[in-house]
């Protein structure tokens, strides 16, 4: 491989850590290129000088306005409207311009080629990946989460596009045009099947499910539903049928049938009413998962997203129960606070998090389908922690949007195709408890349809059966 070690990237001296971070993410982590930095006081834009002397200038339309550190962190610096533009280095759709202009000009300076790009690819990508938007915009839902509808991406109709990947492709096309001889990092599409175990079982104890049955009668005024739930509860206790949430073998068999392993994120009971798992079942569940060599991760309690002590206490408790260290996972209820939650995970020596998807909407919250190193916008440090952004959760479509089963399937498959385009990682969340209940029965076949539509070489019958395991 012909590796050009003499690519020089010149960047302005202000906001040095922010600039260095985003250049490293796009050119090193995403493209896998080799280069050297030069920080210069006299330049105003990013200049990428190739070994052959050709040059790519990315105009700075953001950081140069804020000479003081962290001065950019203000809601007024989020654009109200995003324009879309096409140019010769974009394949397919027009591209959203968060910061910059649509100018893309190729010119000659002597015997050298120069591209001047008005789209501030670096500041626009920094905006999406660091989620500083969520730090300055204080809009929150009932669970103190930043909602999709408050985001710039949702307001400007590009939440369903991995726009950072689009920027990276445009960047790569410009570098190739200028004669870059390096090879980019090779990637393959990955399907990451994840399951948050919020409820290990539905009817294990005598009292479990009683409150729901009473609620069916009093709150939902649905005696037929109450009878169905009572029948399921009695049948489970009499061992006439499996517990509705005991879908672990089904999920593992489904994953194995397409040649991959599932990730199960374990949750422990705590003081918040949203933490309702029963710890005494975690040992049994974890043993079953470990026996089949699938993966166990951490699902911190409801109030641990901004509380390091609670995060650690809860983590150690689960680790003691299952006799295994946990190094990755996802926050319960997708509760997240930028940059505090990421820093908690970093301080706890976690390897990766997969919380960054919206509860109320599917799509690309971080603008990418690649795993990446995260940045603490307040300490201005790149963390060792990686983010593997969540692309879609079944509850976003079913609970929040009341989508039909067909619409759910089409939306998920459409997102998979977008991730495939960039050989990215499709992170999919389907809870173990999203089967075998009156609400979920109309959706549960979507899980298989997605898996087998995406893996057309696999075979299946008309019923949902894997190695003797059935999801009713």
């Amino acid at each position: 491989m012909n590796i050009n070690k003499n690519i020089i990237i010149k960047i302005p001296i202000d906001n040095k850590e922010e600039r260095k971070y985003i250049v490293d993410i796009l050119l090193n982590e995403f493209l896998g290129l080799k280069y050297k930095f030069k920080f210069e006081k006299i330049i105003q834009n990013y200049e990428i000088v190739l070994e052959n002397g050709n040059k790519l200038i990315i105009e700075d339309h953001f950081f140069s306005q804020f000479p003081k550190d962290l001065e950019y962190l203000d809601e007024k610096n989020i654009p109200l409207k995003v324009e879309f533009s096409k140019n010769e280095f974009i394949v397919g759709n027009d591209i959203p311009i968060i910061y910059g202009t649509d100018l893309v000009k190729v010119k000659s300076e002597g015997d050298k080629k120069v591209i001047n790009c008005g789209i501030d690819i670096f500041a626009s990508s920094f905006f999406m990946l660091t989620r500083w938007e969520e730090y300055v915009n204080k809009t929150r839902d009932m669970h103190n989460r930043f909602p999709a509808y408050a985001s710039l991406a949702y307001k400007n109709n590009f939440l369903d596009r991995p726009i950072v990947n689009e920027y990276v492709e445009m960047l790569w096309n410009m570098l190739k045009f200028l004669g870059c001889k390096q090879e980019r990092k090779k990637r393959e599409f990955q399907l990451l099947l994840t399951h948050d175990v919020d409820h290990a079982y539905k009817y294990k104890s005598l009292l479990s499910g009683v409150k729901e049955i009473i609620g069916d009668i009093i709150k939902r005024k649905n005696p037929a539903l109450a009878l169905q739930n009572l029948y399921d509860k009695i049948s489970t206790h009499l061992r006439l049928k499996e517990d509705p949430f005991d879908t672990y073998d089904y999920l593992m068999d489904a994953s194995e049938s397409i040649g991959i392993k599932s990730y199960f994120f374990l949750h422990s009971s705590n003081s918040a009413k949203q933490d309702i798992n029963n710890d005494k079942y975690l040992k049994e569940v974890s043993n079953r998962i470990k026996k089949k060599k699938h993966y166990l991760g951490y699902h911190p309690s409801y109030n641990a997203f901004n509380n390091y002590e609670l995060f650690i206490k809860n983590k150690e408790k689960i680790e003691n129960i299952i006799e295994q260290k946990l190094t990755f996972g996802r926050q319960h209820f997708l509760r997240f606070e930028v940059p505090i939650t990421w820093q908690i995970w970093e301080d706890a020596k976690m390897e990766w998090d997969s919380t960054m998807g919206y509860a109320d909407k599917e799509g690309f919250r971080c603008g990418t389908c690649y795993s990446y190193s995260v940045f603490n916008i307040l300490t201005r440090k790149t963390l060792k922690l990686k983010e593997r952004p969540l692309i879609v959760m079944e509850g976003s479509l079913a609970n929040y949007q009341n989508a039909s089963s067909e619409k759910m399937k089409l939306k998920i498959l459409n997102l998979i195709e977008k991730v495939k385009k960039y050989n990215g990682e499709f992170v999919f969340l389907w809870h173990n408890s999203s089967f075998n209940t009156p609400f979920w029965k109309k959706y549960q076949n979507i899980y298989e349809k997605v898996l087998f539509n995406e893996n057309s070489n696999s075979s299946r019958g008309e019923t949902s059966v894997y190695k003797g395991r059935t999801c009713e």
Side-chain angles (χ1 to χ4, degrees):
M1 182 172 67
N2 183 8
I3 296 180
N4 175 0
K5 295 183 179 179
N6 296 317
I7 291 180
I8 303 296
I9 302 181
K10 301 178 181 180
I11 61 176
I13 199 71
D14 64 88
N15 298 282
K16 178 179 177 181
E17 297 306 319
E18 289 79 3
R19 294 179 187 272
K20 183 178 183 302
Y21 164 77
I22 197 58
V23 170
D24 276 336
I25 294 296
L26 300 195
L27 273 77
N28 183 11
E29 288 198 13
F30 287 1
L31 286 174
L33 303 182
K34 306 294 182 183
Y35 50 87
K36 291 182 180 179
F37 278 114
K38 284 184 71 175
F39 299 96
E40 299 191 358
K41 292 182 179 180
I42 59 172
I43 65 171
Q44 294 181 324
N45 301 310
Y46 304 87
E47 296 184 9
I48 303 175
V49 183
L50 302 184
E51 184 183 44
N52 60 14
N54 292 339
K55 183 163 58 176
L56 170 60
I57 298 173
I58 306 290
E59 292 183 358
D60 182 308
H61 286 272
F62 185 71
F63 282 122
S64 59
Q65 303 173 57
F66 312 106
K68 294 181 181 178
D69 293 344
L70 305 182
E71 190 179 5
Y72 72 92
L73 288 175
D74 194 307
E75 190 173 4
K76 69 183 181 184
N77 297 323
I78 301 174
L80 297 176
K81 185 172 174 53
V82 170
E83 301 295 334
F84 291 74
S85 176
K86 293 193 74 166
N87 62 67
E88 62 185 288
F89 300 106
I90 299 170
V91 178
N93 293 331
D94 51 3
I95 202 165
I97 306 172
I98 298 177
Y99 297 106
T101 70
D102 64 358
L103 171 71
V104 177
K105 184 176 181 181
V106 180
K107 59 183 180 180
S108 296
E109 292 183 355
D111 62 343
K112 304 302 179 186
K113 292 180 181 177
V114 177
I115 297 177
N116 201 85
C117 176
I119 303 174
D120 192 340
I121 290 172
F122 295 120
S124 298
S125 297
F126 184 84
F127 175 85
M128 293 301 300
L129 295 180
T130 64
R131 307 306 306 134
W132 69 261
E133 169 187 27
E134 302 181 23
Y135 177 78
V136 299
N137 182 342
K138 303 303 182 184
T139 304
R140 296 294 183 267
D141 69 6
M142 63 183 293
H143 295 290
N144 199 29
R145 300 174 299 201
F146 182 75
Y149 67 79
S151 69
L152 182 74
Y154 178 82
K155 292 174 182 176
N156 288 272
N157 300 311
F158 61 84
L159 180 58
D160 64 342
R161 293 171 57 176
I163 68 163
V164 175
N165 294 92
E166 295 180 26
Y167 292 143
V168 169
E169 293 307 306
M170 180 182 166
L171 178 61
W172 175 242
N173 289 336
M174 290 189 289
L175 292 174
K176 282 199 302 182
F177 177 86
L178 292 171
C180 179
K181 299 300 182 184
Q182 293 191 38
E183 293 183 18
R184 68 182 293 177
K185 180 185 291 185
K186 295 192 184 314
R187 295 178 178 270
E188 291 184 0
F189 170 77
Q190 293 183 66
L191 179 63
L192 197 75
L193 300 177
T194 68
H195 317 289
D196 295 354
V197 185
D198 298 340
H199 314 277
Y201 294 102
K202 185 173 176 65
Y203 296 128
K204 271 290 186 178
S205 72
L206 288 174
L207 291 178
S208 58
V210 172
K211 183 185 286 188
E212 181 181 1
I213 293 168
I214 294 172
D216 292 337
I217 298 170
I218 298 175
K219 185 178 179 182
R220 288 174 283 278
K221 302 187 186 310
N222 191 336
L225 182 58
L227 273 175
Q228 179 63 53
N229 280 323
L230 179 60
Y231 171 79
D232 289 343
K233 177 176 173 60
I234 293 171
S235 298
T236 300
H237 285 302
L238 293 176
R239 298 190 178 181
L240 299 175
K241 63 191 302 185
E242 292 181 347
D243 188 278
F245 295 170
D246 186 359
T247 57
Y248 308 106
D249 289 322
Y250 165 78
L251 290 167
M252 289 188 284
D253 289 346
S255 293
E256 289 171 11
S257 73
I258 58 172
I260 61 177
K261 300 286 187 179
S262 275
Y263 291 79
F264 294 87
F265 300 149
L266 301 182
H267 179 63
S268 174
S269 60
N270 200 262
S271 57
K273 66 179 182 179
Q274 292 82 3
D275 301 323
I276 56 178
N277 219 342
N278 195 319
D279 296 344
K280 69 181 181 181
Y281 303 127
L282 292 182
K283 179 73 171 175
E284 178 214 334
V285 169
S286 66
N287 283 342
R288 289 168 62 186
I289 294 167
K290 286 192 283 188
K291 184 177 180 180
K292 299 190 79 167
K293 295 185 171 21
H294 289 248
Y295 306 111
L296 293 171
Y298 180 35
H299 198 43
S301 61
Y302 183 79
N303 289 319
F305 75 107
N306 61 1
N307 186 321
Y308 175 77
E309 289 73 23
L310 183 57
F311 184 99
I312 291 296
K313 179 181 178 182
N314 199 224
K315 177 173 176 285
E316 290 176 346
K317 177 183 175 184
I318 297 176
E319 289 175 337
N320 288 333
I321 293 171
I322 69 172
E323 299 179 315
Q324 178 180 316
K325 288 290 183 184
L326 300 175
T327 59
F328 52 80
R330 175 182 295 124
Q331 288 291 147
H332 190 33
F333 271 68
L334 302 183
R335 298 188 91 200
F336 200 93
E337 185 175 349
V338 176
I340 291 173
T341 309
W342 272 332
Q343 191 62 53
I344 287 174
W345 284 65
E346 172 83 356
D347 294 341
K349 296 181 170 52
M350 302 293 282
E351 293 177 4
W352 57 265
D353 164 68
S354 187
T355 304
M356 295 307 286
Y358 290 115
D360 55 330
K361 187 72 177 170
E362 73 287 350
F364 302 91
R365 182 173 180 173
C366 300
T368 186
C369 53
Y370 291 165
S371 168
Y372 66 95
S373 301
V374 299
F375 186 78
N376 185 321
I377 55 172
L378 298 183
T379 64
R380 306 178 67 221
K381 293 185 185 226
T382 303
L383 307 184
K384 293 179 181 178
L385 179 73
K386 303 287 186 184
E387 180 63 34
R388 301 176 83 171
L390 172 63
I391 309 301
V392 63
M393 172 179 72
E394 89 283 49
S396 301
L397 293 159
N399 296 111
Y400 285 86
Q401 299 173 45
N402 195 28
S404 67
S405 59
E406 183 64 17
K407 187 173 184 180
M408 176 189 280
K409 183 187 78 169
L410 292 176
K411 280 196 171 190
I412 295 170
L413 291 175
N414 179 258
L415 288 167
I416 287 177
E417 287 306 308
K418 291 180 179 180
V419 173
K420 279 185 172 181
K421 180 179 178 181
Y422 301 102
N423 290 318
E425 185 176 71
F426 186 80
V427 183
F428 187 25
L429 166 56
W430 197 287
H431 294 74
N432 67 294
S433 52
S434 295
F435 297 96
N436 305 324
T437 66
F439 178 82
W440 282 106
K441 280 184 178 178
K442 65 181 176 181
Y443 293 112
Q444 62 193 38
N445 67 336
I446 299 304
Y447 186 73
E448 273 181 55
K449 287 182 178 179
V450 167
L451 264 59
F452 284 105
N453 208 320
E454 138 58 18
N455 293 271
S456 56
N457 291 329
S458 300
S459 60
R460 67 180 177 95
E462 290 302 312
T463 57
S464 165
V465 181
Y466 297 97
K467 301 177 184 178
R469 303 297 303 182
T470 303
C471 188
E472 298 175 0

